[in-house]
Amino acid sequence: QSTWGSLKSRQKESIGKMVNLNQTKTISNNAIEEVQWKILVYDEFSEQIVSQLLRKGDMRKNNITLYVQISSDREKIPDVPAVYFVRPTMENIRKISKDCENGLYESFYINFTNPVSRPVLEEFARLTVQSQSSSYISRIFDQYLNFVCIEENLFSFQQPNFFTDLHDNSKSNDEIETLLDELTNSIISVLVTLGTVPVIRCSRVDEISKVVAGRVEKVLRILREQRNGPLSDSVIGRIQNFQRPVLILFERSCDLTSCLKHPRTYQALCDDILGINLSKVKCDVDGKTQKYDLDTSHDQFWEKHRFDDIPTAAEMNEKSVQQWKQDSKTMQVNPEAHANAALLDSDVTNRLTTAMNMVPELQERKNVIDMHTNLLTSTFEQMKNRKYNEYFELEDIISQRQLSSQERDKLIELLRNPDCGTAIDKTRLILLYCDSLDPVRVQEELRFIEKVVGDQPAINLQPVKQWVSMRNYKTASTLKSGKESSRSILAMAESVGKKVASGVKTLIGGEGNETPLTQIVNMLLENTNAGAATESEIHPYFDPKLGQSGNQPPQNRRKEPFRDAIVVAIGGCNYAEWQSLSKFAKRPNSSGQTRNIIYGGTSVVRPDIILSDLTQLYKKQNPEQPKTTH
């Protein structure tokens, strides 16, 4: 077991304390407790946080009688306290101060998702004093909860535009600074929720992660030094000195292939084909759109089989169907099977009692079975119609070696076939293929492919051209300068996955094959070369508990392996990497122990999102010239 348990359980515990006016809730069995009903007011982002943690029943248990958006029109309820849970923005504090001025509620408990800045707090004080409503404010809290837990140990910062903003040359330094500040605050929120001060690792060729690592280290030092601060030794306990995790920062452009390959497993395919949004997925059933909730804490089948390949998941679902039918038969009462009338009455009564108790459970099981049957059926149909097997075969080869002449011909034939996959499927394959080529050959191949797909205007090659441009520029910039540039977009060198993973490529769904990120995580958890000078150069090492800040020399580094890791994908995480990391965590390490891995990123990205982001960047860097008339 890890020191902290699951991230979701820790965040739920913090939210529970918050909605109970930041007091630890205790229930006495010997006395009648006075119920304190409350109203919960949140903004759009914090609603996403709460919705993943508290259901309607949980709201009632915590005496929340009403929960509403801060932007909605709300009636005055002057005899009930309100718990506000919002981001610390000027817009939100103006709305809160207006509510105070109007005396909407009895008292106000203000909770910010992350620490409020001095200018925002001063503006809030000015507004409430001006309206003479400051007496309504009971308490103000910084909650350090600026992230959304999708699963027990999977999180998102809900920053969907991060990748494009980060690599947009037109962004000013101030805009990039704001972007990185928000990311740093979110990472700090995860660490405070866990109550841990980790060692921080990143890659030398990933400049943006080095910048973020330095910022996170600086904030952690401040929080440790604060008396009774959220990460001071007096609060988190000195046991953390002996059971510290490693925080691993990874920038998305170091490996796009893991996001673009056609996956084989249930969860990744559901996201790839249907699109999962905060554990919700939509599926067409008999011409009607059904919305399903894929919650690992309430759906045992999803928890157990979401990482299985599709045939295995379908087989296990069929077993669930047969088990349900068998259990349903036990509810049937057959009086003719009993000869003794006295025994019959007793047996019938027992059977009826058992049946009545089983009805809700059986109905719930049937609902889950129907949901997964529909999801699996819809996914199978899409895979068949889009000929995923053709893509699997080619992508597996591309991920391991260069295509032979015959294999290249097969790829061109697939691109020409209008019935083999969608335009997005083909763009993904083209990008994967071009990513495997050297900078000289890739331009020649792109020109040829452009002619091949010329009669299919839906196939968009702009994201491929943008990625090739970014990759080639990174390589040229590194060779020219001999070191990384400080500007984020110019700082990316060649793929960390290729450089660090010793040439072993991604094979999603293949047994024993791992994504480049998983291999990096494995290396940094084992920590075998911690004292080597080359390791010091390749993977900078930051430790907020040591006297000096910045990248630590080899002699100052921990030499023992780590068991716990928090992995942050800057620019977007995905379900393929989550599956790879989860399976890796269950395998024993060199000491015979399993690992504990928490994974997340600025947002959860799908292939269509990645291609759209690259297209946006291409258009910004290659604006269309206005047509001139003669």
Side-chain angles (χ1 to χ4, degrees):
Q1 293 292 323
S2 63
T3 305
W4 53 67
S6 78
L7 178 62
K8 190 172 186 178
S9 65
R10 293 296 293 266
Q11 190 181 39
K12 186 173 182 178
E13 181 183 331
S14 297
I15 291 289
K17 184 177 180 181
M18 180 195 75
V19 298
N20 284 288
L21 311 183
N22 286 281
Q23 298 174 356
T24 303
K25 186 176 180 181
T26 57
I27 299 176
S28 172
N29 295 323
N30 301 319
I32 299 177
E33 233 184 308
E34 181 181 352
V35 177
Q36 174 65 75
W37 293 104
K38 298 157 294 237
I39 293 171
L40 178 61
V41 183
Y42 40 45
D43 60 14
E44 185 177 353
F45 175 73
S46 51
E47 182 182 12
Q48 294 175 350
I49 298 174
V50 173
S51 66
Q52 294 295 301
L53 303 170
L54 302 179
R55 297 193 167 196
K56 289 183 178 179
D58 298 317
M59 292 288 195
R60 288 193 296 270
K61 288 178 183 177
N62 285 284
N63 302 327
I64 299 294
T65 184
L66 184 66
Y67 36 98
V68 291
Q69 275 254 11
I70 192 171
S71 58
S72 64
D73 293 329
R74 288 164 284 130
E75 296 181 359
K76 189 173 183 177
I77 311 177
D79 57 345
V80 176
V83 176
Y84 281 75
F85 182 42
V86 297
R87 280 186 160 179
T89 64
M90 285 292 187
E91 180 184 5
N92 281 336
I93 62 105
R94 286 171 184 146
K95 289 176 180 176
I96 297 172
S97 62
K98 194 67 176 177
D99 291 348
C100 292
E101 182 180 353
N102 294 331
L104 281 192
Y105 311 114
E106 177 188 75
S107 54
F108 291 65
Y109 292 81
I110 314 301
N111 299 269
F112 293 116
T113 55
N114 53 283
V116 58
S117 67
R118 180 175 291 275
V120 171
L121 194 59
E122 288 176 349
E123 175 66 7
F124 187 39
R126 187 189 69 80
L127 290 171
T128 53
V129 169
Q130 180 178 300
S131 62
Q132 298 182 348
S133 58
S134 57
S135 60
Y136 282 102
I137 308 298
S138 292
R139 296 288 298 276
I140 298 177
F141 300 92
D142 292 332
Q143 289 293 350
Y144 293 96
L145 294 170
N146 200 42
F147 61 95
V148 177
C149 265
I150 302 169
E151 293 184 13
E152 291 301 318
N153 285 313
L154 175 65
F155 63 87
S156 168
F157 297 147
Q158 296 300 94
Q159 294 177 266
N161 301 319
F162 194 96
F163 183 85
T164 50
D165 289 343
L166 183 66
H167 294 281
D168 185 354
N169 280 325
S170 66
K171 293 292 181 183
S172 66
N173 287 336
D174 288 344
E175 289 175 310
I176 295 296
E177 285 290 316
T178 300
L179 191 71
L180 296 181
D181 284 343
E182 186 174 353
L183 172 60
T184 302
N185 285 334
S186 297
I187 294 173
I188 292 296
S189 287
V190 170
L191 300 179
V192 170
T193 299
L194 294 172
T196 189
V197 179
V199 167
I200 308 168
R201 305 299 301 272
C202 56
S203 173
R204 176 183 62 83
V205 297
D206 177 4
E207 182 70 17
I208 187 61
S209 292
K210 285 169 59 181
V211 172
V212 175
R215 289 171 179 246
V216 171
E217 182 199 28
K218 181 179 179 180
V219 176
L220 288 176
R221 287 181 180 275
I222 293 172
L223 294 179
R224 284 197 69 236
E225 293 168 1
Q226 290 177 352
R227 185 178 180 184
N228 296 324
L231 290 177
S232 62
D233 286 338
S234 62
V235 172
I236 65 174
R238 295 187 177 276
I239 188 172
Q240 291 289 344
N241 292 324
F242 305 99
Q243 299 184 16
R244 296 173 66 194
V246 57
L247 170 65
I248 300 171
L249 304 177
F250 177 83
E251 207 277 314
R252 183 73 276 156
S253 70
C254 291
D255 173 36
L256 280 184
T257 60
S258 299
C259 302
L260 294 174
K261 290 192 67 176
H262 289 75
R264 288 178 166 91
T265 55
Y266 187 20
Q267 183 183 49
L269 275 166
C270 276
D271 185 52
D272 189 77
I273 292 174
L274 303 174
I276 302 175
N277 182 24
L278 293 180
S279 304
K280 305 290 190 300
V281 64
K282 293 180 180 179
C283 177
D284 288 334
V285 180
D286 298 329
K288 296 181 180 179
T289 301
Q290 298 288 341
K291 189 173 182 180
Y292 297 125
D293 188 0
L294 299 173
D295 188 343
T296 54
S297 57
H298 294 89
D299 183 347
Q300 292 184 359
F301 184 89
W302 182 248
E303 162 65 23
K304 189 173 182 180
H305 299 294
R306 70 193 189 283
F307 295 149
D308 290 345
D309 58 60
I310 277 287
T312 301
E315 180 184 349
M316 299 311 298
N317 188 60
E318 179 59 27
K319 287 184 178 180
S320 297
V321 172
Q322 297 305 321
Q323 184 63 52
W324 182 86
K325 289 180 178 179
Q326 182 179 336
D327 293 344
S328 296
K329 287 182 180 179
T330 64
M331 296 175 58
Q332 300 174 5
V333 180
N334 184 11
E336 296 178 1
H338 300 271
N340 189 306
L343 290 176
L344 174 63
D345 290 341
S346 174
D347 188 62
V348 168
T349 301
N350 291 336
R351 281 174 173 265
L352 285 173
T353 302
T354 302
M356 292 296 291
N357 292 333
M358 288 181 64
V359 167
E361 178 195 346
L362 284 171
Q363 184 58 51
E364 178 61 29
R365 283 169 57 190
K366 185 177 185 302
N367 292 340
V368 173
I369 289 170
D370 288 346
M371 176 182 73
H372 288 292
T373 300
N374 291 334
L375 290 175
L376 287 163
T377 300
S378 181
T379 304
F380 264 128
E381 288 177 353
Q382 288 267 17
M383 291 177 67
K384 181 180 178 181
N385 293 340
R386 291 161 63 176
K387 295 181 172 58
Y388 264 45
N389 285 339
E390 300 285 339
Y391 290 91
F392 290 155
E393 182 180 350
L394 282 169
E395 288 171 2
D396 289 350
I397 297 171
I398 290 171
S399 69
Q400 298 175 65
R401 58 174 171 78
Q402 295 288 313
L403 294 182
S404 66
S405 176
Q406 186 177 1
E407 291 161 347
R408 177 182 175 275
D409 291 342
K410 187 172 183 178
L411 181 144
I412 299 302
E413 181 183 345
L414 184 152
L415 295 178
R416 285 193 170 120
N417 187 347
D419 298 322
C420 197
T422 65
I424 288 180
D425 290 326
K426 293 180 180 180
T427 303
R428 290 161 66 177
L429 179 62
I430 294 169
L431 195 150
L432 290 168
Y433 173 57
C434 289
D435 185 64
S436 71
L437 303 175
D438 63 68
V440 176
R441 188 182 171 199
V442 71
Q443 297 296 340
E444 179 184 340
E445 285 294 271
L446 252 181
R447 287 191 291 270
F448 177 73
I449 289 172
E450 201 160 12
K451 294 178 182 178
V452 168
V453 300
D455 60 344
Q456 300 180 63
I459 298 179
N460 178 19
L461 293 182
Q462 289 179 345
V464 182
K465 293 177 180 179
Q466 176 62 24
W467 174 242
V468 168
S469 174
M470 288 172 65
R471 191 192 68 167
N472 290 349
Y473 190 88
K474 288 182 292 183
T475 304
S477 176
T478 304
L479 290 173
K480 183 178 179 181
S481 65
K483 60 181 181 179
E484 296 78 35
S485 166
S486 59
R487 184 75 167 94
S488 61
I489 186 170
L490 308 180
M492 306 304 155
E494 65 178 306
S495 167
V496 172
K498 294 175 183 175
K499 189 176 184 71
V500 179
S502 303
V504 183
K505 301 290 192 70
T506 310
L507 180 58
I508 304 301
E511 192 64 34
N513 293 276
E514 299 165 346
T515 64
L517 176 58
T518 300
Q519 297 184 39
I520 293 170
V521 171
N522 181 19
M523 179 184 298
L524 295 179
L525 281 174
E526 288 295 330
N527 207 29
T528 50
N529 298 319
T534 53
E535 172 67 7
S536 172
E537 295 175 359
I538 294 174
H539 294 108
Y541 184 111
F542 300 82
D543 190 344
K545 290 194 173 185
L546 295 182
Q548 67 184 63
S549 61
N551 185 20
Q552 299 293 330
Q555 63 269 23
N556 290 352
R557 300 184 176 199
R558 167 176 166 158
K559 305 303 186 294
E560 300 79 20
F562 295 91
R563 282 194 62 198
D564 300 335
I566 302 139
V567 184
V568 178
I570 301 171
C573 58
N574 64 84
Y575 287 107
E577 283 179 341
W578 174 227
Q579 170 211 320
S580 178
L581 286 167
S582 296
K583 287 190 173 183
F584 158 76
K586 293 179 180 179
R587 296 203 307 268
N589 61 12
S590 56
S591 303
Q593 297 177 316
T594 57
R595 299 118 168 141
N596 305 289
I597 295 178
I598 293 173
Y599 170 69
T602 45
S603 63
V604 180
V605 293
R606 294 190 304 273
D608 58 321
I609 294 174
I610 288 289
L611 295 180
S612 176
D613 288 347
L614 289 171
T615 300
Q616 286 184 50
L617 289 171
Y618 179 86
K619 289 180 177 179
K620 286 184 177 181
Q621 296 178 22
N622 300 273
E624 290 186 9
Q625 298 296 324
K627 295 182 180 180
T628 57
T629 57
H630 299 280

